[in-house]
Amino acid sequence: MDLFPAIDILDNKVVRLLKGNYQTATVYHDSPLQQAQEFASQGARWVHIVDLEGSRSGVLTQLHTVAAIAQDTGLKVEFGGGVRTLESIEQLAQAGASRVVLGTGLVRDPEFTAKAVDRYGALICAGVDALGGEVAVEGWQQGAGQNAEQLIGSLKERGLSHLVYTDISRDGMQTGIDAKAYEHIASCAGFPVTASGGISTLDDIHALANLGNEVIEAIIVGRAIYEKSFTVSEALEVLESYGL
């Protein structure tokens, strides 16, 4: 199990949104690279980057940031936002991304997803963002009319083995997490998942760590770190205390 501090980028700044609403953006840092350097100095091994503009437009805008972070910090980069073509995935791989998250493309273009998995294998990660049980796409701006659990249940047979699952209703709200919900999602997927959305205190890290590596592959944390509820170092210490 690992911790992925999140860097969401809008207008080339590090921001956090509330429930995916672009009108609620709070700027936390002017430089995504410097923010990543700070995370690396605290012991982070990965960083989760979201290109918020790319999520809406379907066009990558942060390739240069991925390359800079991968080259300058040594962090492994998980990237999502605007990945709708094989060319985009190749560009990200060349830039140094260690994992590429497919969200809208996963839902709207099964043929593209199949080709991506066939060509890039474990580099590809499913990103399922749900609100009220329905999958949301296009930067969470639209409902896809698809049941999240049904989609998650199909991933393994489609060749996917990584999943970032986000509960939109909790994202950025620091309301805490529902550990049993992630246990259920992992059961639906048939493999461990990355938990995202709502993590607010170290108690949430403890709750997810207690589920073990069989259920949780990684934990994405954003606003709680930026609001100084806890540090990356403190969260990693919790995981280490469980032998994870």
Side-chain angles (χ1 to χ4, degrees):
M1 194 179 302
D2 213 328
L3 186 85
F4 291 17
I7 296 179
D8 291 2
I9 305 172
L10 186 65
D11 297 328
N12 293 312
K13 299 181 186 299
V14 179
V15 307
R16 296 301 293 171
L17 310 180
L18 298 177
K19 299 183 181 180
N21 185 342
Y22 282 67
Q23 303 306 311
T24 65
T26 300
V27 177
Y28 285 100
H29 207 297
D30 289 335
S31 170
L33 174 58
Q34 290 179 9
Q35 183 63 73
Q37 290 169 337
E38 290 179 21
F39 289 152
S41 71
Q42 294 181 48
R45 294 175 286 268
W46 283 81
V47 66
H48 177 80
I49 298 176
V50 178
D51 178 354
L52 290 171
E53 190 55 47
S55 294
R56 289 194 298 190
S57 68
V59 178
L60 297 180
T61 70
Q62 295 297 327
L63 275 172
H64 62 291
T65 301
V66 172
I69 290 175
Q71 293 170 12
D72 294 354
T73 70
L75 291 170
K76 292 183 178 181
V77 175
E78 179 176 77
F79 179 91
V83 185
R84 314 281 166 82
T85 66
L86 293 176
E87 180 183 9
S88 296
I89 298 173
E90 181 61 29
Q91 289 174 326
L92 286 162
Q94 292 295 325
S98 295
R99 195 170 292 166
V100 177
V101 181
L102 304 186
T104 298
L106 178 77
V107 176
R108 294 272 172 83
D109 196 343
E111 183 178 353
F112 156 63
T113 301
K115 289 179 179 178
V117 172
D118 183 60
R119 183 176 301 183
Y120 295 99
L123 179 74
I124 305 302
C125 175
V128 177
D129 309 316
L131 183 62
E134 181 185 6
V135 178
V137 294
E138 308 289 352
W140 298 357
Q141 304 304 297
Q142 297 181 30
Q146 184 166 1
N147 179 272
E149 290 186 10
Q150 290 180 351
L151 174 61
I152 291 166
S154 74
L155 297 178
K156 193 171 185 178
E157 66 185 33
R158 295 168 69 180
L160 288 146
S161 58
H162 299 292
L163 165 65
V164 174
Y165 178 78
T166 304
D167 180 348
I168 296 174
S169 68
R170 294 174 183 266
D171 188 74
M173 301 301 292
Q174 290 189 271
T175 53
I177 54 94
D178 182 351
K180 287 190 176 297
Y182 286 106
E183 195 167 23
H184 176 65
I185 292 299
S187 176
C188 291
F191 53 82
V193 305
T194 295
S196 172
I199 293 163
S200 59
T201 68
L202 287 177
D203 286 343
D204 293 321
I205 304 295
H206 278 284
L208 291 169
N210 194 51
L211 295 176
N213 289 322
E214 298 78 14
V215 175
I216 303 296
E217 177 181 18
I219 304 169
I220 294 174
V221 182
R223 189 178 292 271
I225 291 174
Y226 293 111
E227 295 287 349
K228 304 187 186 308
S229 297
F230 56 84
T231 66
V232 169
S233 299
E234 289 170 338
L236 288 171
E237 286 174 5
V238 171
L239 298 184
E240 290 168 4
S241 73
Y242 285 81
L244 301 172

